[in-house]
Amino acid sequence: MNKDIKEALIKIVGQQNFTDLLIDLVSYSYDASDHDHRPDWAVWPTNAEQVSLILNMADKRRFPVIPRGAGTGLAGAAVPVRGGLVLDMCRMNRLIEIRIADRLAVVQPGVVYDDLQKALAPYGFFFPPDPASGKVCTIGGNVATNAGGIRGAKYGVTRDYVLGLEVVLPGGRIMRTGSQCMKSVSGYDLARLFVGSEGTLGVVTEIILKINPKPTAIKTSLARFTSLKDAGQAVTDIMHSGIIPSVLEVLDDNTIKVLREHANMDLPDAMAIILVETDGYTETEASVQMDKITEIFNENRATHIRTAESVEEAEELWLARRSAGSVAAQLRTNNVSEDVAVPISKVPHLLTGISTIVHNYHLPFVIFGHAGDGNLHPKVMYDSSDPDQVKRAGKAVDEIFRLTCELGGTLTGEHGIGLSKAPYMTLEHDPVEMDVMRKIKEIFDPNNILNPGKMGLDVM
Ligand SMILES: Cc1cc2nc3c(=O)[nH]c(=O)nc-3n(C[C@H](O)[C@H](O)[C@H](O)COP(=O)(O)OP(=O)(O)OC[C@H]3O[C@@H](n4cnc5c(N)ncnc54)[C@H](O)[C@@H]3O)c2cc1C
């Protein structure tokens, strides 16, 4: 069956860039979420023209095409839920140029996040979004998910850095959109429409990114609080103080307990820990900001404040935050890790609300995340071999989404909608907005061949 499609694909990309081996197809049935579904074929295109020919054929023959970066997505967005062809973009991984004078870098989508950072480092520049998966995830994946990270409150997310794109549209037309300028208001902002579109509108084949000069001085502090309210107030006060820290992370009491009991970390009882970093281009700049933050911690009754005096000490302070997710994940065989976000002033409400919800379902959980931009990561642990635990975890997550939306928040601050959150899209987006989103999808992809079944745009 479909032997002619296989032959045509091989003709386009070459035998060496095609596979329908079971072992490959099984690998391509997953990303980093719990979803899985096997594709029929996978290819590694090496240029935009090949992608164009493939999308032209897919549109005519009506088979699904699923673009894929490194498969680190946490929402099932790269899972080929209706079979079809996986377009693995990892062989389009050329760093085309770095133009410091123009403050930009031009890359192919398969470039790994950390490789771009390494290439920018000698110039004293960086690409700030900083996803924790940076060692493996691709810039194409970052663009398609609008990836963010720990420095979001100060530096924003991928969308803030995408100046222009080359995109292959369903049907095969190749479009260049956006510009190479720091500023442009010429026409609709189509480039940014593709950012966060999760491979549902087009396949990104080239990216023009704005880059930033890298701060050379950093100060790191950690503060403990015996009251969640005080910690929440400290966050609000910091964000009102005129200082924007480069990192402002919170760990809840459960996370502290789990780290103490399961990673032998020497952490005293506290209701919350806040990890904060300031940066600048001189030591004084970073220190002045940190002094102000320390004042705010004291005003809000922090019981202990420690400021790192060296890089090694800073690493020690980071240890709890860096270990939180992986240590908690050991408590059960499975976990759901969400990334809901609320307006900053609602962070304390979200923290206490999530605790109450998950306590009621008697499952282990931790909450940590980016307090500085209101983006929290509640992680609920369960055992997938126990149907009752699976059901309780599902209900807890359902309630977390509802609470988040009631607080004026959003289902996802950085991981995307994919399959995991597709059923909840209408909770956040009203019928008019859903209708406009579906019409946009129809304009770009009238035959729904590109990554179908994602983002709640069509019925499964
Ligand atoms: C340990 C871990 C930590 C993580 N930490 C973070 C974090 O801090 N912040 C964060 O935002 N995310 C994080 N993630 C999630 C994930 O790494 C990001 O969503 C990342 O941007 C996905 O990149 P990828 O290359 O793996 O894309 P994939 O997972 O392969 O694909 C993701 C989506 O992008 C689409 N896509 C990929 N390439 C293209 C292309 N060229 N054109 C069109 N569509 C394309 C796919 O179809 C899919 O919809 C983490 C994941 C893990 C496993």
Side-chain angles (χ1 to χ4, degrees):
M1 202 180 77
N2 293 331
K3 196 162 165 277
D4 56 330
I5 294 181
K6 173 175 171 175
E7 279 165 9
L9 287 170
I10 291 172
K11 204 165 159 211
I12 295 168
V13 295
Q15 182 72 57
Q16 73 284 12
N17 289 321
F18 170 91
T19 183
D20 56 357
L21 292 176
L22 184 60
I23 189 165
D24 291 330
L25 299 184
V26 169
S27 316
Y28 285 127
S29 31
Y30 297 93
D31 61 1
S33 71
D34 277 348
H35 300 278
D36 70 289
H37 195 284
R38 209 180 296 165
D40 298 289
W41 323 272
V43 291
W44 296 273
T46 53
N47 57 53
E49 288 66 36
Q50 291 179 354
V51 176
S52 163
L53 290 170
I54 289 168
L55 289 198
N56 181 270
M57 175 169 62
D59 207 42
K60 287 187 181 137
R61 301 292 303 268
R62 303 279 201 273
F63 60 82
V65 177
I66 301 89
R68 183 181 175 99
T72 65
L74 290 163
V79 173
V81 72
R82 294 186 192 163
L85 174 70
V86 166
L87 272 190
D88 182 338
M89 304 301 288
C90 72
R91 291 189 188 167
M92 287 184 67
N93 61 351
R94 208 155 52 83
L95 207 166
I96 297 167
E97 59 178 342
I98 293 173
R99 284 166 35 198
I100 295 299
D102 293 325
R103 225 187 119 186
L104 59 83
V106 185
V107 300
Q108 287 191 322
V111 169
V112 170
Y113 178 89
D114 269 12
D115 290 345
L116 175 60
Q117 300 297 37
K118 280 180 205 146
L120 293 173
Y123 301 96
F125 272 71
F126 77 129
F127 169 52
D130 199 15
S133 51
K135 282 195 172 63
V136 263
C137 67
T138 65
I139 304 289
N142 298 163
V143 170
T145 57
N146 190 19
I150 222 147
R151 293 182 167 78
K154 181 160 186 176
Y155 292 105
V157 291
T158 302
R159 180 170 282 128
D160 301 311
Y161 296 89
V162 174
L163 297 175
L165 294 175
E166 179 188 80
V167 187
V168 184
L169 302 177
R173 284 191 301 164
I174 301 177
M175 174 173 81
R176 292 198 80 93
T177 180
S179 89
Q180 304 179 23
C181 305
M182 286 298 115
K183 291 166 82 178
S184 167
V185 284
S186 179
Y188 292 132
D189 194 347
L190 296 185
R192 286 192 182 81
L193 177 60
F194 283 90
V195 182
S197 66
E198 299 185 9
T200 61
L201 300 179
V203 179
V204 175
T205 47
E206 198 175 296
I207 305 154
I208 306 173
L209 291 172
K210 179 163 82 179
I211 50 176
N212 270 15
K214 197 173 166 69
T216 45
I218 289 178
K219 278 271 162 203
T220 311
S221 276
L222 187 141
R224 292 198 295 260
F225 294 84
T226 51
S227 142
L228 201 54
K229 195 160 162 274
D230 288 343
Q233 193 56 48
V235 169
T236 310
D237 291 352
I238 290 168
M239 296 313 281
H240 284 175
S241 67
I243 289 164
I244 304 184
S246 48
V247 170
L248 187 57
E249 293 288 299
V250 66
L251 278 69
D252 78 335
D253 56 330
N254 255 331
T255 312
I256 298 165
K257 203 161 151 244
V258 165
L259 288 170
R260 206 172 41 219
E261 289 173 8
H262 298 273
N264 288 327
M265 281 192 198
D266 182 20
L267 297 169
D269 261 341
M271 283 306 288
I273 284 178
I274 294 181
L275 177 75
V276 66
E277 228 177 61
T278 55
D279 65 8
Y281 297 91
T282 61
E283 285 296 325
T284 314
E285 196 186 339
S287 296
V288 166
Q289 296 177 71
M290 190 54 87
D291 290 348
K292 176 76 190 158
I293 287 172
T294 308
E295 227 176 82
I296 294 172
F297 281 154
N298 280 320
E299 280 163 16
N300 286 287
R301 292 166 288 281
T303 50
H304 175 91
I305 303 167
R306 188 173 157 209
T307 301
E309 297 301 333
S310 63
V311 176
E312 292 72 31
E313 269 185 54
E315 268 312 303
E316 258 178 57
L317 299 188
W318 267 96
L319 188 64
R321 172 61 185 90
R322 285 203 213 286
S323 318
S326 52
V327 173
Q330 294 164 17
L331 300 186
R332 289 281 198 281
T333 54
N334 300 73
N335 67 79
V336 263
S337 182
E338 293 304 342
D339 70 317
V340 286
V342 288
I344 299 164
S345 63
K346 296 286 193 289
V347 167
H349 304 74
L350 187 64
L351 281 166
T352 45
I354 293 174
S355 293
T356 311
I357 290 169
V358 194
H359 266 305
N360 287 341
Y361 288 104
H362 307 290
L363 289 169
F365 71 97
V366 293
I367 313 169
F368 51 87
H370 321 310
D373 57 19
N375 185 195
L376 294 184
H377 294 306
K379 202 175 179 89
V380 181
M381 273 59 73
Y382 66 98
D383 187 342
S384 65
S385 63
D386 175 355
D388 184 51
Q389 283 191 41
V390 175
K391 199 164 139 197
R392 279 186 279 139
K395 283 190 170 168
V397 168
D398 183 284
E399 284 187 35
I400 290 171
F401 286 148
R402 283 174 203 284
L403 169 71
T404 303
C405 289
E406 277 161 26
L407 292 170
T410 178
L411 299 168
T412 171
E414 48 189 31
H415 299 162
I417 295 291
L419 293 169
S420 309
K421 284 157 245 171
Y424 295 97
M425 279 289 274
T426 52
L427 202 62
E428 180 178 346
H429 305 283
D430 69 31
V432 179
E433 195 185 4
M434 285 305 299
D435 183 50
V436 172
M437 284 200 229
R438 288 183 178 124
K439 293 228 161 77
I440 289 171
K441 167 74 173 165
E442 248 176 76
I443 291 171
F444 283 95
D445 185 16
N447 296 318
N448 196 20
I449 56 133
L450 205 52
N451 209 2
K454 307 293 162 62
M455 290 176 72
L457 296 174
D458 56 2
V459 182
M460 295 286 294

